[in-house]
Amino acid sequence: MAFEFHLPDIGEGVVEGEIVKWKVAVGDVVKLDQPIVEIMTDKATVEIPSPRAGTITAINYKDGEICPVGKVLLVIDDGVAGSAKPAAGNGHGHAKAPEHSPAPQLQLAGNLPESLPVTRAAIEVVDATASRGRVLATPATRRLARQLGIELGRVAPTGKRGRVTTDDVKQYGAAGSTVAIPRLTESVLPALPAAKSFAPQAIAVGGDEERIPLRGMRKRIAESMTRSTHTAAHFTYVEEIDMTELVAVRERAKARAADRGVKLTYLPFIMKAVVSGLKKWPMLNASLDETTQEIVRKKYYHVGIAAQGPQGLVVTVVRDADRRSIFEISKEIERLGDAVRAGTATREELTGSTFTISSLGKLGGVLATPIINFPEVAIIGVHKIEEKPAVRGGQIVIRQLMNLSISVDHRLADGWDGAMFLQDVKTLLEDPTTMFMEMV
């Protein structure tokens, strides 16, 4: 006969539990007290045993879903004709233990050798795995982490016996940590936050002022930047690049480039290094399809160049950058720049980039945290090259140094991806001969 097992009240103040992992499936035959499911609550990670022997006929909640206390967790057919009716509630919708079986036992996670009775004093939070493969945290903490785009596995726990608390997640998010984290799983993707909306803010007159209508290109830039900052979970990683060798290479190549009518800048070299890095770290050349909740890894390389135009920030697109030579990229960058200044750039020349390079040229400054060009996953900021003292071989020497900063959407790419990508770019720029060996 069917026996409905309701999620019991397994701790003071517990109102729900997150299904960590089912140990059984529909159709399985279980024994009395056989472990059937791991559940994470506000108080503990517990392993719930079967209250009866029989066959599993229904499982009402999937891994990762939240089951409220008192709701039917699963149904067991105990095969006993005329046995007790489906468990009646105790006034709160909780299942009563059948008279012919002992009270349900809860075993704490971590494969402990013995079970503990269901008492509030017995519920403790313990580290489920020494490797942090499964992190201990309450459902509320997990929801907050999903909303902030934070992987719990890289948050330092301060709770009892290794539990990650809500304050831990908030502090981690506030710090803007760039520590490498595991990639998002399918169970996390549906919970990705949508862009926020805010009530319009009126600005009172405070004196002599000028009011300019927000329209056209400036309005489009405002909307794009706002959407990006409130959709992508930004983090920034910075690396210093020794450009001395590349400066020399460019200087030697300038005359040959001029003979071909090419104005050779550093951007084509940087673009080739970026494309090489994207091929090794494809998650940075991707987008999130929010309608289907799919990560789209792109196998084409349309690199955007974010630069200041007559009407504001404009991203021109060098299509198929992986198939072009450095001289060809130089010509295309110059052609696109001329089109923007003349106001003749087409929609195709201004849209469709898969990764963006932001550069202010000689005004590049020391460091910046560029905003991702939505819906891309990352953007790299190029800063000015300056002669600075550096230590080489135990000696202080003058080198041509530059900073590169990369902002990455932490929802889709890990800190490890961003850091390793920039390290690969650094390697190619610091030793340009490797760039040609890579044949990117």
PDB file of all heavy atoms in Angstrom, residues 403-422:
ATOM      1  N   ASN A 403      50.263  47.667 -18.508  1.00  0.00           N
ATOM      2  CA  ASN A 403      49.288  46.833 -17.806  1.00  0.00           C
ATOM      3  C   ASN A 403      48.164  46.422 -18.750  1.00  0.00           C
ATOM      4  O   ASN A 403      47.716  47.213 -19.582  1.00  0.00           O
ATOM      5  CB  ASN A 403      48.675  47.583 -16.617  1.00  0.00           C
ATOM      6  CG  ASN A 403      49.653  47.741 -15.471  1.00  0.00           C
ATOM      7  OD1 ASN A 403      50.578  46.949 -15.324  1.00  0.00           O
ATOM      8  ND2 ASN A 403      49.465  48.767 -14.664  1.00  0.00           N
ATOM      9  N   LEU A 404      47.740  45.172 -18.621  1.00  0.00           N
ATOM     10  CA  LEU A 404      46.530  44.689 -19.275  1.00  0.00           C
ATOM     11  C   LEU A 404      45.543  44.294 -18.188  1.00  0.00           C
ATOM     12  O   LEU A 404      45.916  43.608 -17.232  1.00  0.00           O
ATOM     13  CB  LEU A 404      46.811  43.470 -20.159  1.00  0.00           C
ATOM     14  CG  LEU A 404      47.530  43.685 -21.490  1.00  0.00           C
ATOM     15  CD1 LEU A 404      47.693  42.360 -22.212  1.00  0.00           C
ATOM     16  CD2 LEU A 404      46.765  44.672 -22.372  1.00  0.00           C
ATOM     17  N   SER A 405      44.321  44.738 -18.307  1.00  0.00           N
ATOM     18  CA  SER A 405      43.277  44.350 -17.352  1.00  0.00           C
ATOM     19  C   SER A 405      42.172  43.638 -18.105  1.00  0.00           C
ATOM     20  O   SER A 405      41.818  44.034 -19.221  1.00  0.00           O
ATOM     21  CB  SER A 405      42.716  45.572 -16.627  1.00  0.00           C
ATOM     22  OG  SER A 405      42.173  46.506 -17.545  1.00  0.00           O
ATOM     23  N   ILE A 406      41.646  42.579 -17.507  1.00  0.00           N
ATOM     24  CA  ILE A 406      40.558  41.850 -18.147  1.00  0.00           C
ATOM     25  C   ILE A 406      39.383  41.766 -17.183  1.00  0.00           C
ATOM     26  O   ILE A 406      39.545  41.409 -16.016  1.00  0.00           O
ATOM     27  CB  ILE A 406      40.999  40.432 -18.592  1.00  0.00           C
ATOM     28  CG1 ILE A 406      39.840  39.728 -19.313  1.00  0.00           C
ATOM     29  CG2 ILE A 406      41.513  39.608 -17.431  1.00  0.00           C
ATOM     30  CD1 ILE A 406      40.253  38.439 -20.007  1.00  0.00           C
ATOM     31  N   SER A 407      38.221  42.151 -17.653  1.00  0.00           N
ATOM     32  CA  SER A 407      36.982  41.979 -16.903  1.00  0.00           C
ATOM     33  C   SER A 407      36.246  40.779 -17.477  1.00  0.00           C
ATOM     34  O   SER A 407      36.120  40.649 -18.702  1.00  0.00           O
ATOM     35  CB  SER A 407      36.097  43.228 -17.001  1.00  0.00           C
ATOM     36  OG  SER A 407      36.704  44.327 -16.356  1.00  0.00           O
ATOM     37  N   VAL A 408      35.778  39.901 -16.597  1.00  0.00           N
ATOM     38  CA  VAL A 408      35.170  38.641 -17.012  1.00  0.00           C
ATOM     39  C   VAL A 408      33.828  38.461 -16.315  1.00  0.00           C
ATOM     40  O   VAL A 408      33.660  38.868 -15.159  1.00  0.00           O
ATOM     41  CB  VAL A 408      36.097  37.452 -16.678  1.00  0.00           C
ATOM     42  CG1 VAL A 408      35.465  36.136 -17.092  1.00  0.00           C
ATOM     43  CG2 VAL A 408      37.453  37.624 -17.347  1.00  0.00           C
ATOM     44  N   ASP A 409      32.886  37.868 -17.020  1.00  0.00           N
ATOM     45  CA  ASP A 409      31.578  37.543 -16.442  1.00  0.00           C
ATOM     46  C   ASP A 409      31.728  36.255 -15.642  1.00  0.00           C
ATOM     47  O   ASP A 409      31.861  35.169 -16.198  1.00  0.00           O
ATOM     48  CB  ASP A 409      30.546  37.359 -17.562  1.00  0.00           C
ATOM     49  CG  ASP A 409      29.131  37.174 -17.030  1.00  0.00           C
ATOM     50  OD1 ASP A 409      28.981  36.921 -15.822  1.00  0.00           O
ATOM     51  OD2 ASP A 409      28.184  37.270 -17.831  1.00  0.00           O
ATOM     52  N   HIS A 410      31.670  36.396 -14.318  1.00  0.00           N
ATOM     53  CA  HIS A 410      31.918  35.261 -13.430  1.00  0.00           C
ATOM     54  C   HIS A 410      30.797  34.223 -13.494  1.00  0.00           C
ATOM     55  O   HIS A 410      30.937  33.116 -12.966  1.00  0.00           O
ATOM     56  CB  HIS A 410      32.072  35.749 -11.987  1.00  0.00           C
ATOM     57  CG  HIS A 410      33.192  35.083 -11.246  1.00  0.00           C
ATOM     58  ND1 HIS A 410      33.554  33.779 -11.463  1.00  0.00           N
ATOM     59  CD2 HIS A 410      34.034  35.554 -10.303  1.00  0.00           C
ATOM     60  CE1 HIS A 410      34.558  33.474 -10.668  1.00  0.00           C
ATOM     61  NE2 HIS A 410      34.879  34.528  -9.961  1.00  0.00           N
ATOM     62  N   ARG A 411      29.684  34.543 -14.123  1.00  0.00           N
ATOM     63  CA  ARG A 411      28.625  33.545 -14.264  1.00  0.00           C
ATOM     64  C   ARG A 411      29.064  32.411 -15.181  1.00  0.00           C
ATOM     65  O   ARG A 411      28.696  31.250 -14.969  1.00  0.00           O
ATOM     66  CB  ARG A 411      27.353  34.177 -14.833  1.00  0.00           C
ATOM     67  CG  ARG A 411      26.749  35.295 -13.989  1.00  0.00           C
ATOM     68  CD  ARG A 411      25.539  35.897 -14.709  1.00  0.00           C
ATOM     69  NE  ARG A 411      25.881  36.317 -16.066  1.00  0.00           N
ATOM     70  CZ  ARG A 411      24.997  36.579 -17.016  1.00  0.00           C
ATOM     71  NH1 ARG A 411      23.709  36.436 -16.774  1.00  0.00           N
ATOM     72  NH2 ARG A 411      25.380  36.968 -18.215  1.00  0.00           N
ATOM     73  N   LEU A 412      29.828  32.757 -16.206  1.00  0.00           N
ATOM     74  CA  LEU A 412      30.153  31.775 -17.230  1.00  0.00           C
ATOM     75  C   LEU A 412      31.612  31.353 -17.227  1.00  0.00           C
ATOM     76  O   LEU A 412      31.936  30.250 -17.661  1.00  0.00           O
ATOM     77  CB  LEU A 412      29.801  32.336 -18.624  1.00  0.00           C
ATOM     78  CG  LEU A 412      28.365  32.801 -18.823  1.00  0.00           C
ATOM     79  CD1 LEU A 412      28.142  33.167 -20.283  1.00  0.00           C
ATOM     80  CD2 LEU A 412      27.375  31.742 -18.389  1.00  0.00           C
ATOM     81  N   ALA A 413      32.500  32.217 -16.812  1.00  0.00           N
ATOM     82  CA  ALA A 413      33.926  31.896 -16.843  1.00  0.00           C
ATOM     83  C   ALA A 413      34.496  31.944 -15.434  1.00  0.00           C
ATOM     84  O   ALA A 413      34.091  32.763 -14.612  1.00  0.00           O
ATOM     85  CB  ALA A 413      34.675  32.873 -17.751  1.00  0.00           C
ATOM     86  N   ASP A 414      35.456  31.071 -15.194  1.00  0.00           N
ATOM     87  CA  ASP A 414      36.086  30.996 -13.890  1.00  0.00           C
ATOM     88  C   ASP A 414      37.218  32.006 -13.772  1.00  0.00           C
ATOM     89  O   ASP A 414      37.774  32.468 -14.771  1.00  0.00           O
ATOM     90  CB  ASP A 414      36.669  29.602 -13.668  1.00  0.00           C
ATOM     91  CG  ASP A 414      35.646  28.509 -13.882  1.00  0.00           C
ATOM     92  OD1 ASP A 414      34.448  28.814 -13.813  1.00  0.00           O
ATOM     93  OD2 ASP A 414      36.057  27.360 -14.112  1.00  0.00           O
ATOM     94  N   GLY A 415      37.595  32.295 -12.537  1.00  0.00           N
ATOM     95  CA  GLY A 415      38.763  33.128 -12.310  1.00  0.00           C
ATOM     96  C   GLY A 415      39.998  32.504 -12.932  1.00  0.00           C
ATOM     97  O   GLY A 415      40.872  33.195 -13.468  1.00  0.00           O
ATOM     98  N   TRP A 416      40.065  31.186 -12.889  1.00  0.00           N
ATOM     99  CA  TRP A 416      41.181  30.471 -13.488  1.00  0.00           C
ATOM    100  C   TRP A 416      41.249  30.726 -14.986  1.00  0.00           C
ATOM    101  O   TRP A 416      42.326  30.968 -15.538  1.00  0.00           O
ATOM    102  CB  TRP A 416      41.020  28.974 -13.209  1.00  0.00           C
ATOM    103  CG  TRP A 416      42.041  28.101 -13.872  1.00  0.00           C
ATOM    104  CD1 TRP A 416      41.911  27.425 -15.049  1.00  0.00           C
ATOM    105  CD2 TRP A 416      43.367  27.803 -13.401  1.00  0.00           C
ATOM    106  NE1 TRP A 416      43.056  26.712 -15.342  1.00  0.00           N
ATOM    107  CE2 TRP A 416      43.968  26.936 -14.340  1.00  0.00           C
ATOM    108  CE3 TRP A 416      44.095  28.184 -12.278  1.00  0.00           C
ATOM    109  CZ2 TRP A 416      45.255  26.452 -14.199  1.00  0.00           C
ATOM    110  CZ3 TRP A 416      45.380  27.693 -12.132  1.00  0.00           C
ATOM    111  CH2 TRP A 416      45.944  26.843 -13.071  1.00  0.00           C
ATOM    112  N   ASP A 417      40.098  30.675 -15.651  1.00  0.00           N
ATOM    113  CA  ASP A 417      40.067  30.930 -17.085  1.00  0.00           C
ATOM    114  C   ASP A 417      40.621  32.315 -17.409  1.00  0.00           C
ATOM    115  O   ASP A 417      41.450  32.476 -18.298  1.00  0.00           O
ATOM    116  CB  ASP A 417      38.634  30.821 -17.622  1.00  0.00           C
ATOM    117  CG  ASP A 417      38.140  29.386 -17.656  1.00  0.00           C
ATOM    118  OD1 ASP A 417      38.966  28.479 -17.485  1.00  0.00           O
ATOM    119  OD2 ASP A 417      36.933  29.181 -17.842  1.00  0.00           O
ATOM    120  N   GLY A 418      40.121  33.322 -16.687  1.00  0.00           N
ATOM    121  CA  GLY A 418      40.547  34.696 -16.956  1.00  0.00           C
ATOM    122  C   GLY A 418      42.033  34.896 -16.716  1.00  0.00           C
ATOM    123  O   GLY A 418      42.730  35.539 -17.513  1.00  0.00           O
ATOM    124  N   ALA A 419      42.531  34.338 -15.608  1.00  0.00           N
ATOM    125  CA  ALA A 419      43.943  34.504 -15.277  1.00  0.00           C
ATOM    126  C   ALA A 419      44.846  33.772 -16.265  1.00  0.00           C
ATOM    127  O   ALA A 419      45.854  34.314 -16.737  1.00  0.00           O
ATOM    128  CB  ALA A 419      44.206  34.002 -13.857  1.00  0.00           C
ATOM    129  N   MET A 420      44.489  32.536 -16.610  1.00  0.00           N
ATOM    130  CA  MET A 420      45.322  31.762 -17.518  1.00  0.00           C
ATOM    131  C   MET A 420      45.284  32.339 -18.937  1.00  0.00           C
ATOM    132  O   MET A 420      46.279  32.328 -19.661  1.00  0.00           O
ATOM    133  CB  MET A 420      44.874  30.305 -17.525  1.00  0.00           C
ATOM    134  CG  MET A 420      45.147  29.587 -16.209  1.00  0.00           C
ATOM    135  SD  MET A 420      46.892  29.670 -15.717  1.00  0.00           S
ATOM    136  CE  MET A 420      47.663  28.747 -17.033  1.00  0.00           C
ATOM    137  N   PHE A 421      44.120  32.841 -19.334  1.00  0.00           N
ATOM    138  CA  PHE A 421      44.015  33.502 -20.640  1.00  0.00           C
ATOM    139  C   PHE A 421      44.986  34.675 -20.709  1.00  0.00           C
ATOM    140  O   PHE A 421      45.747  34.821 -21.679  1.00  0.00           O
ATOM    141  CB  PHE A 421      42.582  33.979 -20.867  1.00  0.00           C
ATOM    142  CG  PHE A 421      42.434  34.972 -21.989  1.00  0.00           C
ATOM    143  CD1 PHE A 421      42.373  34.547 -23.304  1.00  0.00           C
ATOM    144  CD2 PHE A 421      42.366  36.332 -21.723  1.00  0.00           C
ATOM    145  CE1 PHE A 421      42.239  35.462 -24.348  1.00  0.00           C
ATOM    146  CE2 PHE A 421      42.239  37.247 -22.750  1.00  0.00           C
ATOM    147  CZ  PHE A 421      42.178  36.809 -24.069  1.00  0.00           C
ATOM    148  N   LEU A 422      44.972  35.525 -19.677  1.00  0.00           N
ATOM    149  CA  LEU A 422      45.836  36.699 -19.702  1.00  0.00           C
ATOM    150  C   LEU A 422      47.311  36.309 -19.619  1.00  0.00           C
ATOM    151  O   LEU A 422      48.175  36.985 -20.191  1.00  0.00           O
ATOM    152  CB  LEU A 422      45.469  37.645 -18.554  1.00  0.00           C
ATOM    153  CG  LEU A 422      45.856  39.114 -18.759  1.00  0.00           C
ATOM    154  CD1 LEU A 422      45.312  39.638 -20.072  1.00  0.00           C
ATOM    155  CD2 LEU A 422      45.373  39.972 -17.603  1.00  0.00           C
TER     156      LEU A 422
END
